[in-house]
Amino acid sequence: GQHHADLHPAWHRPIEIMNTHFLKLKNVTSIILEGLRKSSEELASDHYQYVSEDLFDVVIEGMESRDNLRAVWKQRLKDKIFKAMPKETRPMQCNTFDEECDEATCDKVRKWRSVHVQNKDGNKLKTVSSNDRKGKSKLNSMTKKERKKVASNWERMKSSIKKH
């Protein structure tokens, strides 16, 4: 809390530097997200040919990890122990990491990935039935790691044979 901060003024400058670097990282992330969004547009130009499924996967996994860590931290700050502590010793509010201005969500990036894969492979949604479209779109929005966890048709067939 503030009491702890007052006891350790040597940390003030390193924390300012960390905040500066965090804002720079956030700016770079925004540029990458904008590139991913534009690459998923149907009329994406060759300027976005560097965008691959792997880039989408890394961003999705990073965003999910960040969201999970933030959720755990918010839960930790709700601990009753902090209410029992004097105000000056409670954790200080840090707005740097809470500021989310118009940032893409993980779900949006997954949708962009799905469209990007369909555009890259030439699989236009108009030529696919609505049932196939839902399944294919869901697979296209999954990262490669997530796809490995989905049972293949062969695995499903083997399990159904064992049951009979």
Side-chain angles (χ1 to χ4, degrees):
Q2 189 60 51
H3 179 68
H4 184 77
D6 292 341
L7 289 175
H8 302 283
W11 278 102
H12 294 180
R13 182 71 182 131
I15 290 172
E16 287 175 21
I17 292 170
M18 180 192 67
N19 286 339
T20 301
H21 288 299
F22 175 78
L23 292 174
K24 288 178 183 179
L25 177 63
K26 192 172 179 177
N27 288 336
V28 170
T29 302
S30 295
I31 292 167
I32 291 170
L33 288 170
E34 183 65 14
L36 292 177
R37 185 188 64 76
K38 287 184 177 181
S39 76
S40 70
E41 293 173 354
E42 207 166 310
L43 301 173
S45 67
D46 290 336
H47 296 292
Y48 298 101
Q49 65 187 1
Y50 61 86
V51 175
S52 67
E53 289 178 58
D54 293 330
L55 182 57
F56 276 99
D57 292 354
V58 168
V59 170
I60 289 168
E61 290 169 13
M63 290 177 78
E64 285 179 342
S65 174
R66 178 200 64 192
D67 292 346
N68 291 337
L69 289 170
R70 286 181 178 177
V72 168
W73 185 251
K74 284 180 184 178
Q75 189 62 34
R76 185 179 292 167
L77 289 176
K78 290 179 183 178
D79 193 323
K80 293 177 184 177
I81 189 76
F82 296 125
K83 291 181 182 176
M85 297 169 66
K87 280 193 174 194
E88 66 274 1
T89 60
R90 293 180 191 168
M92 297 186 317
Q93 182 65 34
C94 177
N95 295 330
T96 303
F97 304 110
D98 293 336
E99 296 172 3
E100 295 295 332
C101 55
D102 205 24
E103 190 173 321
T105 63
C106 200
D107 289 338
K108 282 183 185 177
V109 177
R110 284 182 181 282
K111 287 177 185 173
W112 298 340
R113 183 191 192 285
S114 180
V115 172
H116 173 79
V117 170
Q118 290 167 356
N119 288 343
K120 188 180 87 174
D121 293 343
N123 298 329
K124 299 298 179 199
L125 291 176
K126 296 172 189 166
T127 62
V128 181
S129 72
S130 63
N131 288 339
D132 290 344
R133 179 173 46 220
K134 288 177 187 171
K136 189 143 187 110
S137 179
K138 185 174 181 176
L139 273 179
N140 287 341
S141 69
M142 296 171 73
T143 65
K144 290 178 182 177
K145 282 184 184 177
E146 292 168 336
R147 284 183 183 186
K148 287 180 182 177
K149 293 177 185 175
V150 175
S152 67
N153 287 338
W154 174 244
E155 293 300 323
R156 284 189 213 124
M157 285 174 43
K158 284 195 316 189
S159 67
S160 69
I161 292 170
K162 288 179 185 176
K163 290 178 185 176
H164 297 291

